[in-house]
C-alpha cells in the first residue's frame, strides 16, 4: 500500500504544481493588465457650455454643476464614465495622475509585479523539468521560485494599495473619489497569490517524494549487495565443505 501511495503522489504532485503555476500566471497577468483594481464614483465639475439652459426664451448658463460619474483604475489606466450619454468612457494613464512624490513607489509596484511574473515563469520551467527528469532538485528550485514570486507580488500590491489610499484620501483637484472599493482585478490578484502558495507546497511535496524514492532505491541496492555477498560466502563455504569430504 505504501508503494501505491508513493507512486500516486509521484504522479499527482508534479502535475498539480504545474497546473497551479499555469493558473497563477494566467490570473496574475490578467489582473496586471486589467484596469479594475479599484472601482467607484467620482465628483467632477461640469463646464459652463455643457449646461446651458433656456428659460422663457433666454439662455441661462449654469456653472460649477457637480456631477457624479463612475470610474475604474489599475496599474496602467484610469477610466472614467463620459459626461455625455451614449459616448464611450475616457481612459488616461494612471501614473500621470499621481503626484511626483508617489511616482517612484508606483514604479516599484509595477517592477514588483513584472518580477513576480518572471519568477513564476522560471518556477514553471523548473517544474516541467522536474517532471521530465528524476532529479528532485528541480522541484526544490521551483518551490523557492514560487515562494519568492509570492513575496515580491505581495510587496508590490502593498505599495499599490498605499499609493492608492494616499491619493484617494487627498483633497487634490486631480482626482476626487466619493466612494470606492476594490474591483475584480484586485480579487483575482490575491487568488493568484493563494494558487502560488499552493503550487509551492505541491512542489515541496514532489521534492520530498522523489527524495524518499531515491533513498529507498539506494537502500534496496545496498540490501541486494549484502544478499549477493552472503550468497557468495554460502557458496564458498559449501564448496570448501564438499572438497573436504
Amino acid at each position: 500500500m505504501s508503494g501505491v501511495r508513493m507512486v500516486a503522489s509521484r504522479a499527482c504532485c508534479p502535475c498539480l504544481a504545474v497546473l497551479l503555476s499555469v493558473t497563477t500566471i494566467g490570473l496574475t497577468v490578467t489582473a496586471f493588465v486589467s484596469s479594475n483594481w479599484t472601482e467607484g464614483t467620482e465628483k467632477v465639475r461640469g463646464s459652463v457650455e455643457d449646461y446651458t439652459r433656456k428659460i422663457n426664451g433666454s439662455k441661462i448658463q449654469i456653472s460649477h454643476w457637480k456631477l457624479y460619474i463612475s470610474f475604474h483604475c489599475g496599474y496602467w489606466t484610469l477610466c472614467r464614465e463620459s459626461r455625455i450619454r451614449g459616448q464611450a468612457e475616457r481612459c488616461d494613464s494612471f501614473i500621470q495622475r499621481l503626484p511626483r512624490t508617489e511616482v517612484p513607489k508606483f514604479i516599484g509596484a509595477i517592477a514588483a509585479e513584472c518580477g513576480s511574473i518572471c519568477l513564476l515563469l522560471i518556477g514553471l520551467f523548473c517544474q516541467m523539468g522536474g517532471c521530465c527528469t528524476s532529479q528532485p532538485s528541480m522541484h526544490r528550485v521551483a518551490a523557492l521560485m514560487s515562494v519568492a514570486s509570492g513575496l515580491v507580488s505581495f510587496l508590490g500590491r502593498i505599495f499599490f494599495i498605499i499609493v492608492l489610499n494616499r491619493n484617494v484620501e487627498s483633497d487634490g483637484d486631480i482626482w476626487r473619489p466619493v466612494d470606492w472599493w476594490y474591483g475584480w482585478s484586485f480579487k483575482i490578484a490575491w487568488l493568484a497569490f493563494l494558487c502560488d502558495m499552493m503550487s509551492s507546497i505541491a512542489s515541496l511535496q514532489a521534492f520530498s517524494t522523489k527524495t524518499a524514492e531515491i533513498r529507498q532505491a539506494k537502500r534496496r541496492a545496498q540490501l541486494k549487495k549484502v544478499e549477493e555477498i552472503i550468497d557468495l560466502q554460502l557458496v564458498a563455504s559449501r564448496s570448501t565443505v564438499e572438497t573436504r569430504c
Side-chain angles (χ1 to χ4, degrees):
M1 293 296 293
S2 61
V4 173
R5 289 178 181 176
M6 186 172 293
V7 171
S9 61
R10 180 181 179 182
C12 181
C13 290
C15 296
L16 180 61
V18 171
L19 179 61
L20 289 171
S21 293
V22 173
T23 304
T24 302
I25 293 171
L27 292 175
T28 303
V29 172
T30 301
F32 187 48
V33 301
S34 60
S35 60
N36 288 82
W37 286 72
T38 305
E39 300 173 357
T41 56
E42 180 184 0
K43 180 174 66 176
V44 297
R45 292 181 182 272
S47 63
V48 175
E49 292 78 13
D50 291 340
Y51 298 95
T52 302
R53 297 288 188 269
K54 284 186 177 182
I55 299 177
N56 297 327
S58 61
K59 292 184 178 180
I60 298 177
Q61 293 180 343
I62 302 174
S63 61
H64 302 295
W65 188 266
K66 293 182 180 179
L67 293 176
Y68 295 93
I69 61 174
S70 61
F71 72 90
H72 58 91
C73 72
Y75 277 96
W76 306 105
T77 56
L78 170 62
C79 297
R80 294 166 169 173
E81 181 185 2
S82 177
R83 301 180 188 181
I84 302 174
R85 293 182 180 180
Q87 290 188 0
E89 59 184 8
R90 180 170 52 90
C91 296
D92 300 321
S93 176
F94 181 62
I95 195 170
Q96 293 179 357
R97 298 284 180 177
L98 299 176
R100 293 182 179 179
T101 56
E102 302 294 333
V103 170
K105 296 178 182 178
F106 194 74
I107 292 175
I110 293 175
E113 290 289 342
C114 294
S116 173
I117 294 172
C118 292
L119 291 173
L120 286 172
L121 291 173
I122 294 172
L124 178 61
F125 292 149
C126 290
Q127 288 171 351
M128 295 174 66
C131 294
C132 297
T133 62
S134 60
Q135 295 295 328
S137 59
M138 299 293 289
H139 293 289
R140 181 174 60 183
V141 175
L144 292 175
M145 291 296 104
S146 297
V147 173
S149 66
L151 293 176
V152 171
S153 64
F154 179 81
L155 291 176
R157 287 157 198 171
I158 292 298
F159 279 133
F160 177 81
I161 292 171
I162 291 173
V163 172
L164 184 65
N165 287 333
R166 286 182 179 179
N167 286 274
V168 167
E169 294 173 359
S170 65
D171 296 328
D173 295 331
I174 298 176
W175 195 27
R176 293 183 295 273
V178 177
D179 188 17
W180 65 281
W181 55 89
Y182 293 111
W184 60 266
S185 300
F186 184 84
K187 295 175 183 177
I188 66 172
W190 289 109
L191 179 61
F193 177 80
L194 179 61
C195 292
D196 189 15
M197 295 297 101
M198 293 174 64
S199 175
S200 65
I201 294 172
S203 296
L204 287 175
Q205 183 64 30
F207 169 73
S208 60
T209 301
K210 282 194 174 183
T211 303
E213 288 180 355
I214 292 172
R215 289 177 181 175
Q216 286 187 359
K218 289 181 179 179
R219 289 177 183 175
R220 290 174 183 173
Q222 291 176 356
L223 289 175
K224 285 184 179 180
K225 289 182 180 179
V226 171
E227 289 177 356
E228 290 176 357
I229 293 171
I230 293 173
D231 292 337
L232 291 174
Q233 290 178 353
L234 290 174
V235 171
S237 62
R238 287 177 183 176
S239 61
T240 53
V241 171
E242 289 177 356
T243 53
R244 289 179 182 176
C245 294

